[in-house]
Amino acid sequence: QMEEQQQQLTIQSKDLKEKNEKLARAKQDIDIRAEELEKASTYKSEFLANMSHELRTPLNSIILLSKLLTQNQNKTLDDKDMEKSNVIHKAGNDLLLLINDILDLSKIESGNMELEHIGVSSSEITEELRGLFGALADEKKLDFIIDDKFDSVFSTDKAKLLQVLKNLLSN
């Protein structure tokens, strides 16, 4: 009986060793994958930061030149040309905001996002939203109604709040 128990213990011991070895290999695989994921995340963040910078440089030129066109200092542009230059200027600014949003994602992932709390009037937010989405709503024959019952000043990161509201309204 003792010999039989000894054999069973030996078999159980071998099974335990095999299972421990499998667990050790699985842990090594998980560690390797975690390292690879960390590297990929780092590379992605660096890529986004570099690309954002590379995109911003020509975009800032477009924004500046379109702003100069919208001023029409030489009075060489007619109303249609002025409208077109305004559209280019606004589209450039929107694209710049989008690039900044991409950078913000990288900052959030790396834990470097900082909020800028300032006093903001609710009417300031509603007017900006009206300006951005009023014409779009008219074009789509929708009523765009903002009822500011708060009508007060509050502390927030205005850019982040507007980003959330724009995304919400765009969707």
Side-chain angles (χ1 to χ4, degrees):
Q1 219 178 15
M2 284 183 69
E3 266 183 46
E4 206 175 285
Q5 284 180 343
Q6 183 68 24
Q7 286 176 346
Q8 285 179 347
L9 284 175
T10 304
I11 291 171
Q12 286 177 347
S13 175
K14 284 182 184 178
D15 285 346
L16 269 175
K17 273 186 180 178
E18 286 177 19
K19 288 179 181 176
N20 281 340
E21 288 172 5
K22 283 182 183 178
L23 279 173
R25 284 192 300 269
K27 184 186 179 313
Q28 284 177 333
D29 287 345
I30 289 172
D31 290 343
I32 289 169
R33 297 220 192 276
E35 272 183 45
E36 289 172 352
L37 279 173
E38 190 175 322
K39 282 182 186 177
S41 179
T42 300
Y43 292 150
K44 181 186 77 171
S45 294
E46 288 175 9
F47 173 78
L48 287 174
N50 288 335
M51 282 307 299
S52 295
H53 175 73
E54 294 300 321
L55 291 171
R56 276 187 196 176
T57 302
L59 184 56
N60 282 329
S61 295
I62 291 169
I63 291 170
L64 177 64
L65 293 172
S66 64
K67 179 69 175 170
L68 291 173
L69 282 174
T70 60
Q71 292 171 353
N72 197 18
Q73 290 179 344
N74 295 337
K75 306 291 184 220
T76 56
L77 301 178
D78 62 20
D79 288 343
K80 278 191 173 187
D81 291 335
M82 290 292 294
E83 260 183 60
K84 290 175 186 174
S85 64
N86 278 323
V87 168
I88 293 168
H89 183 70
K90 184 174 178 346
N93 279 318
D94 289 346
L95 186 55
L96 184 60
L97 287 174
L98 183 60
I99 291 169
N100 288 336
D101 291 349
I102 291 169
L103 269 182
D104 286 348
L105 288 175
S106 297
K107 288 178 185 176
I108 290 169
E109 285 179 347
S110 66
N112 294 329
M113 174 60 73
E114 291 184 22
L115 297 177
E116 180 183 322
H117 289 279
I118 58 171
V120 178
S121 160
S122 61
S123 61
E124 187 179 334
I125 299 293
T126 58
E127 286 306 311
E128 188 153 347
L129 292 175
R130 263 191 204 95
L132 289 169
F133 292 99
L136 182 62
D138 288 344
E139 182 181 303
K140 294 186 177 196
K141 295 182 175 44
L142 296 172
D143 291 333
F144 184 64
I145 301 166
I146 299 176
D147 187 9
D148 183 8
K149 291 183 180 175
F150 186 63
D151 194 25
S152 189
V153 174
F154 56 100
S155 178
T156 188
D157 186 315
K158 182 180 176 186
K160 302 294 181 285
L161 175 62
L162 282 171
Q163 180 181 2
V164 168
L165 292 172
K166 287 176 195 174
N167 288 340
L168 178 67
L169 289 170
S170 293
N171 290 335

